[in-house]
Each structure stands twice: as structure tokens, then as C-alpha cells.
Amino acid sequence: NPKYVIYCGTKRMLYPKPETLNPPRTDVLTITPWFAPIVWNGMYNSDILNAHFLQRGVRIGLTVFAIKKYTVFVKTFIETAEKFFMVGHRVNYYVYTDRPSDIPNITLAEGRRLVILNVPSYQRWQEVSMRRMEMIRDLSHQRFNKEVDYLVCVDVDMQFSDEVGVEILSDVFGTLHPGFYGSDRQSFTYERRPESQAFIPADEGDFYYAGGFFGGTVEEVYKLTDFCHYAMMTDKEHNIEAIWHDESYLNKYFLYHKPTKILSIEYLWDNSFGVPDLLKRRRFVAVPKNHEAIRN
Ligand code: 2GW
Ligand code: MN
């Protein structure tokens, strides 16, 4: 069995040779027409990637918002992240909240820190969700640029249930929405009103990206969040709000600023959709919530 050899420190690292004539996955798209990888189980080797990113001493910021009753999700979110998110790497959790005293004390592994960011809450839930763009943008410039190399920005009503590691990192990445990975363009729930800054015509669009998982270098996340926030503010002046809020503006951004990597549905799943054959791992899944109780 022929092997490639690379060095991890001074230690020889051995692993199976990539097989040019035997691709690991043929059941799913693994690269876009603009040559961005789509990350699926079987397509990468964590040992190689970990060696590479550890050598660079990469620092990762994970941003999450817990406004009003959504603070209930923080404990499980952080505890499962300790088990599965970027284990062995330097990680800062950035929890934006209007209720800092609700954030529990959680013991973290070495090299990991929790930063609580006290922010005001907005009255409308749509605004709570959309204003994340502005708040991530502002701190990207003021703080994240000094503390981390990459940002990963996610919903809080989620839990990690399998590894999410450095294979996700790239200049700017988005995630396939679990409800639309098999859909055609016309079925994507893009904003369809030409008056909105989030408008996407019926004959355009690559994928339907989820609002709940994106990231990249701090610089690229700054550009993305700045674009989305500006587009939202422009729409607000014209009394229009995109159909799926921040998610609609994010989809507009990715249409004309192609992501350099795309995460598959393994990285954002909802168990109420069952488990399709092609889904080999469920790494980050929605926590079932009582919409009435949690949102009012
Ligand atoms: C309250 C009432 C209704 C909806 C949201 C909220 C709410 C959201 C809240 O009271 N407090 C709060 O912190 N949030 C934050 O916004 C929290 O981080 C949450 O994960 C995020 C998005 O809201 P969520 O998770 O309830 O909405 P989903 O799961 O339907 O999210 C998708 O659609 C959203 C836009 O409608 C976003 O694009 C989101 O990224 C998507 O995953
Ligand atoms: Mn959510």
C-alpha cells in the first residue's frame, strides 16, 4: 500500500495515497464550478489538516447570539462545542447577549476562552436575527482582528454531535441549507422582489445557503457582514425587508462573491428531516425548540 510522507514536527506522518482514479465520493457534488470544495465526510484527512493548521498556530473565533430567552441554549452549545469544535486548536467563544448573568460558568479546555459581549436587544425578532450582521461587522474591526484569524458565525439553537474541525476553514465559506440541498433554483426561497437589495432573479443562483453557519478570515467576514448590513439598512429606508431576513442578504452576497469553500448539510442538519443515505455524519444539529414558549 503506497504511502505519502509528510512531517508533523519531526515525526513522519503516514497515510493512504489519494487515488486519482477512485474518488472517495461519487454520490454528491464535491467541488463547485468555481473550484471551491464542498466538504463531505470521506473527502479529507483530518490528520493532514490538523498538522497544517497547528503548524500555523491558527486561532478561531466562534460567534453566537443569545438574546432574551435564547440564553437557554448556551450551556449545551458550549458543552458540545468543547467536545467537537476545533478540538486541540485555539478557540475563543464570543457570546453576544443582553443577559450576561444568564450565561453559565463552563470549564473550558486549555487554549479556549469564553468572552461575553453585552449588547442591547431589539424588540422585533427579525431585527434580533438581522442585527447580528452589524454586531459581527463592528467587532471584526475593533476586536476580532486582533484576537483571531478566522471567524465562525452560527445560530445558538444548535448542538454539536460530531467533529467540526479545521476542514471548514477557508477565506470565506457558507453552508448548504438542509431544506434545499436537492432543490432546483426556482424552488430556492431567495428574495424575489426586485425592489429589495436581496433580490435574486429566477434564472440565477448556485445554492441556497443557510443563515445559521458562515465564516472565513476576519477580513472576509468583515466584508460579508458589512455588505449584508448595508443592504438591510438600504431596504429599511425603503420600507422593505427580505423574506428570510439575514439569510436572504447572505444568499445575495454569496451569489456575487463566491464562497471559497462550502460546507455540506453534515454541518447544519435538522433531525426532523430524517437521515438521507448521503448524510454520513451529523456534526451540528438543531435543538428542537418550542417556538411558542421560546419566542414570546
Ligand atoms: C426570537 C423569536 C423568533 C425568532 C428568533 C428569536 C431570537 C433569535 C431570539 O429571541 N434571541 C436570539 O438570540 N436569536 C438569535 O437569532 C439566536 O442566535 C438564533 O439562533 C438566531 C436566529 O433565530 P432562530 O435560530 O430562532 O431562527 P431559525 O432557526 O429559523 O434561523 C434561520 O433563519 C433566520 C432568519 O429568519 C436566520 O437567518 C438564521 O441564521 C437561520 O438559521
Ligand atoms: Mn436557528
Side-chain angles (χ1 to χ4, degrees), residues 212-240:
F213 200 149
F214 63 86
T217 60
V218 176
E219 180 67 24
E220 286 298 322
V221 170
Y222 175 84
K223 288 192 227 164
L224 179 158
T225 51
D226 186 52
F227 171 96
C228 291
H229 178 61
Y230 190 77
M232 287 186 242
M233 290 301 102
T234 305
D235 272 3
K236 202 179 170 74
E237 277 169 28
H238 297 105
N239 293 309
I240 189 166

Side-chain angles (χ1 to χ4, degrees), residues 1-4 15-26 42-43 48:
N1 201 12
K3 311 260 185 176
Y4 277 176
Y15 53 85
K17 182 184 85 68
E19 294 291 338
T20 311
L21 303 180
N22 185 212
R25 295 288 295 255
T26 53
M43 291 305 300
I48 304 175

